[in-house]
């Protein structure tokens, strides 16, 4: 295939989708290196890296953040701002930030997957006709004012008014963690998993009060968000509660509870960290938040959409320059999904919106080669940002390949080179995964069709459709084998 811009885009879209099918949206970091037991037998182990990152109590975390190097403090500031501007869980609300220091103020460029101001979320508490962009602009101004009044001569806690605004804005995220904690701490109606209490008595009361608030009946979480978040913050300040939760007999559950507690308390902790950074570093008392509203989308050109008629086996044969019968049989079950998925358009991730913002000259380049993020970044963003001579760092990667990845248009030779590297990385990972699958068996490959051992959950018609599906899959594998033979005879 020609290495045109459209051709490179097509190759990345195809390879990313194939890799995502094979890895079942598990972390490529885990699967690479044949960590089979960790990746294949316990999907929840993907959280281990996140759990390890959140094991400090809040007071220690804040102390570590504020005593770090000047560069690390700026990194942490950007990550905290990104989290404060991410109102809920889910792809739409992943947020990225970048910093540009001027002579007497600091500009913070912010981007979000769903594009700021484009959608109405639960934080839009104003009139129903109110533009969500206006609501968010008001929130930005409140954050700027919150940092502007940080007073080095005072050691009191930051203004409760903005902390309440932050809790309201991130309400969707808070509701998620409340539900998560209820599940982790409960095994049935009226029965708690942990009857013991932490010590000393003061910490025991903090923990008891938190659980009473958490399980206060059927009241909607929105009615007590402020209280539950502030109680959670008190809990994560306590080293005794942390130690209590990490004790046997189920230390992993304790780590999960602690992680959920810190995630619930995150709005308060982030407000306190950025406030304390502003106290210590005067330039952060004068910030300007600049939302990036980048709506660029990527889709396959018709010529590339039709080139292989959406056939995953032929597409992979072209990407890899060759392919085996085992690879064809492994991929053929994904053929219909591949054809459908590759026909869609894909929006830019927040990190790519920021990159394109600078690449096109819409804004001056940031002071730091660092993007703050509300969560760890995906495999494609990380691989692309690291492919430059001056790579852009982030808080870390989760390693999952999300194929719905908008590709930034080529504005420079450096971008073209980075996309070429990304293309090679994706193809190499697919080859590696297929090779490992051939060596260790199909348990490394996500099943193309859902299977169940409980036949009674299906109707007779569904069973018949399932049998027809198996026949079609077998026939597809036969056709795939025939296609490979034809291709090889041509070559």
């Amino acid at each position: 295939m020609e290495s045109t811009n459209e051709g490179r885009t097509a190759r990345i879209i195809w390879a990313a989708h194939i890799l995502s099918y094979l890895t079942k949206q598990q972390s490529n970091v885990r699967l690479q290196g044949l960590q089979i037991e960790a990746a294949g037998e316990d999907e929840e182990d993907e959280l281990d890296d996140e759990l390890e990152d959140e094991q400090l109590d809040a007071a220690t975390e804040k102390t570590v953040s504020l005593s770090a190097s000047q560069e690390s403090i700026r990194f942490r500031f950007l990550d905290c701002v990104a989290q404060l501007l991410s109102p809920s869980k889910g792809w739409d609300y992943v947020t990225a930030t970048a910093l540009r220091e001027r002579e007497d103020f600091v500009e913070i460029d912010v981007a979000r997957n769903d594009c700021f101001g484009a959608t109405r979320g639960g934080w839009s508490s104003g009139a129903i006709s109110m533009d969500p962009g206006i609501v968010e602009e008001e929130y930005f101004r409140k954050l700027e004012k919150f940092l502007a009044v940080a007073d080095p001569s005072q050691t009191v806690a930051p203004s409760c008014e903005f902390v309440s605004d932050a809790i309201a804005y991130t309400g969707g995220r808070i509701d998620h963690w409340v539900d998560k904690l209820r599940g982790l701490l409960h095994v049935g109606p009226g029965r708690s998993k942990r009857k013991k209490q932490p010590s000393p008595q003061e910490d025991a009361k903090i923990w008891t009060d938190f659980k009473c608030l958490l399980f206060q009946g059927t009241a909607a979480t929105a009615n007590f968000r402020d209280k539950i978040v502030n109680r959670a913050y008190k809990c994560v300040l306590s080293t005794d509660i942390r130690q209590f939760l990490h004790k046997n007999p189920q230390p992993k559950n304790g780590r999960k509870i602690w992680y959920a507690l810190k995630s619930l308390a995150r709005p308060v902790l982030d407000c306190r960290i950025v406030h304390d950074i502003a106290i210590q570093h005067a330039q952060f008392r004068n910030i300007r938040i600049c939302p990036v509203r980048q709506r660029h989308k990527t889709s396959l050109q018709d010529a590339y959409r039709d080139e292989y008629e959406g056939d995953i086996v032929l597409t992979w044969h072209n990407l890899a320059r060759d392919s085996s019968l085992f690879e064809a049989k492994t991929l053929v079950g994904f053929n219909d999904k591949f054809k459908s998925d590759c026909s869609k358009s894909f929006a830019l991730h927040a990190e790519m919106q920021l990159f394109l913002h600078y690449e096109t000259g819409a804004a001056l380049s940031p002071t730091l080669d660092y993007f703050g993020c509300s969560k760890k970044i995906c495999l494609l963003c990380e691989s692309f940002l690291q492919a430059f001579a001056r790579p852009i760092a982030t808080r870390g990667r989760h390693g999952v390949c999300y194929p719905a990845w908008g590709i930034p248009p080529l504005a420079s030779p450096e971008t073209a080179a980075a996309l070429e590297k990304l293309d090679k990385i994706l193809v190499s990972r697919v080859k590696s995964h297929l090779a490992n699958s051939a060596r260790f068996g199909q348990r490394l490959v996500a099943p193309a069709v859902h299977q169940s051992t409980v036949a009674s959950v299906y109707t007779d018609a569904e069973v018949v459709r399932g049998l027809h599906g198996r026949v079609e899959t077998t026939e597809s594998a036969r056709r795939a084998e025939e296609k490979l033979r034809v291709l090889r005879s041509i070559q």
Side-chain angles (χ1 to χ4, degrees):
M1 175 180 295
E2 300 175 10
S3 58
T4 61
N5 296 351
E6 293 79 9
R8 183 68 62 198
T9 296
R11 288 179 60 87
I12 291 172
I13 290 173
W14 291 332
H17 279 85
I18 292 172
L19 183 60
S20 73
Y21 301 151
L22 295 175
T23 56
K24 199 181 176 181
Q25 289 206 332
Q26 295 183 73
S27 170
N28 278 261
V29 178
R30 289 192 172 278
L31 294 177
Q32 198 76 8
L34 302 182
Q35 297 179 0
I36 300 165
E37 287 76 19
E41 295 177 8
D42 186 358
E43 292 181 15
E44 290 191 355
D45 280 352
E46 293 175 20
L47 288 173
D48 280 353
D49 293 338
E50 289 283 355
L51 294 175
E52 288 297 336
D53 289 347
E54 294 290 350
Q55 292 313 298
L56 295 176
D57 60 86
T60 304
E61 179 181 329
K62 190 169 75 165
T63 300
V64 169
S65 298
L66 296 174
S67 60
S69 67
Q70 295 291 314
E71 188 177 65
S72 295
I73 287 173
R74 284 161 170 75
F75 294 171
R76 190 55 192 269
F77 184 87
L78 286 173
D79 287 333
C80 288
V81 170
Q83 289 170 162
L84 287 169
L85 299 183
S86 176
S88 189
K89 293 280 286 182
W91 182 89
D92 286 346
Y93 306 111
V94 176
T95 304
T97 56
L99 176 150
R100 188 168 44 256
E101 294 185 80
R102 303 282 195 164
E103 185 175 347
D104 54 353
F105 65 92
V106 174
E107 289 179 322
I108 307 291
D109 294 320
V110 298
R112 199 168 65 205
N113 281 2
D114 71 339
C115 189
F116 281 105
T119 58
R120 177 178 293 277
W123 66 90
S124 302
S125 55
I128 198 68
S129 60
M130 196 169 183
D131 183 346
I134 295 175
V135 175
E136 290 187 310
E137 286 287 349
E138 289 178 355
Y139 181 66
F140 298 160
R141 303 293 84 79
K142 288 177 179 179
L143 174 55
E144 293 168 359
K145 183 179 178 182
F146 170 69
L147 295 173
V149 297
D151 188 348
S153 66
Q154 297 184 11
T155 57
V156 298
S159 163
C160 290
E161 184 179 350
F162 178 75
V163 175
S164 293
D165 289 331
I167 291 171
Y169 185 81
T170 58
R173 188 174 295 276
I174 289 163
D175 294 350
H176 167 85
W177 289 112
V178 166
D179 290 342
K180 195 79 172 175
L181 278 164
R182 283 172 173 164
L184 288 168
L185 290 168
H186 240 37
V187 292
R191 292 167 56 205
S192 170
K193 284 183 178 179
R194 296 175 178 271
K195 294 183 181 294
K196 294 182 179 180
Q197 301 294 340
S199 58
Q201 187 174 358
E202 182 181 350
D203 289 325
K205 185 178 186 309
I206 291 172
W207 180 243
T208 301
D209 289 347
F210 171 77
K211 288 202 298 180
C212 288
L213 188 59
L214 188 69
F215 295 110
Q216 62 170 309
T218 58
T221 308
N223 296 335
F224 59 94
R225 280 188 191 133
D226 268 46
K227 285 185 179 180
I228 196 74
V229 172
N230 281 289
R231 296 273 177 88
Y233 180 71
K234 286 184 178 181
C235 288
V236 299
L237 284 173
S238 168
T239 55
D240 289 307
I241 291 177
R242 184 184 68 82
Q243 290 169 2
F244 162 70
L245 291 173
H246 284 66
K247 284 181 180 177
N248 287 325
Q250 294 178 312
K252 186 170 182 180
N253 280 344
R255 290 166 64 217
K256 289 180 180 179
I257 293 169
W258 182 255
Y259 176 76
L261 261 178
K262 285 195 73 175
S263 298
L264 180 57
R266 182 55 61 187
V268 178
L269 183 55
D270 286 339
C271 283
R272 288 176 177 258
I273 289 175
V274 297
H275 180 267
D276 288 348
I277 289 175
I279 285 177
Q280 291 188 9
H281 302 274
Q283 67 270 38
F284 290 108
R285 290 175 225 154
N286 188 5
I287 70 164
R288 299 177 187 177
I289 297 175
C290 310
V292 174
R293 308 189 190 279
Q294 180 59 252
R295 299 300 291 170
H296 175 83
K297 288 195 174 186
T298 300
S299 59
L300 282 176
Q301 299 294 320
D302 290 341
Y304 292 96
R305 187 181 294 120
D306 299 336
E307 182 160 353
Y308 305 112
E309 298 178 349
D311 188 293
I312 193 171
V313 174
L314 296 180
T315 301
W316 171 242
H317 186 81
N318 177 272
L319 288 173
R321 308 302 180 194
D322 192 13
S323 56
S324 68
L325 178 58
F326 171 81
E327 293 172 351
K329 288 182 176 179
T330 300
L331 296 175
V332 71
F334 301 104
N335 202 55
D336 289 343
K337 182 172 176 58
F338 180 75
K339 187 181 297 186
S340 172
D341 289 346
C342 290
S343 67
K344 300 172 184 175
S345 59
F346 313 111
L348 291 174
H349 286 198
E351 301 88 343
M352 294 300 99
Q353 292 179 39
L354 282 180
F355 172 82
L356 189 60
H357 192 56
Y358 306 124
E359 178 79 348
T360 57
L364 294 176
S365 297
T367 306
L368 299 172
D369 294 324
Y370 183 89
F371 287 168
C373 299
S374 59
K375 62 175 290 185
K376 292 184 177 181
I377 66 173
C378 73
L379 174 72
L380 277 75
C381 285
E382 191 258 349
S383 299
F384 176 77
L385 294 176
Q386 289 294 305
F388 289 88
R390 287 181 56 184
I392 299 172
T394 64
R395 64 189 289 182
R397 59 181 181 180
H398 54 64
V400 175
C401 177
Y402 289 128
W405 192 76
I407 299 170
L410 303 183
S412 68
E414 291 78 11
T415 302
L419 288 174
E420 184 176 359
K421 286 183 183 178
L422 176 60
D423 173 5
K424 292 178 179 177
I425 288 170
L426 292 174
V427 171
S428 174
R429 285 184 179 270
V430 173
K431 285 182 177 179
S432 175
H433 198 82
L434 286 168
N436 291 341
S437 298
R439 183 180 175 190
F440 294 101
Q442 288 291 330
R443 65 190 177 129
L444 280 180
V445 181
V449 182
H450 177 72
Q451 298 177 8
S452 173
T453 57
V454 187
S456 60
V457 300
Y458 295 104
T459 65
D460 289 343
E462 287 171 327
V463 171
V464 170
R465 283 198 298 272
L467 291 172
H468 282 308
R470 293 185 186 182
V471 171
E472 289 173 2
T473 299
T474 303
E475 180 62 21
S476 295
R478 188 195 63 75
R479 289 197 300 269
E481 185 175 354
E482 183 61 32
K483 286 174 184 175
L484 282 181
R485 286 181 182 143
V486 171
L487 281 169
R488 285 170 178 159
S489 66
I490 293 172
Q491 292 172 347

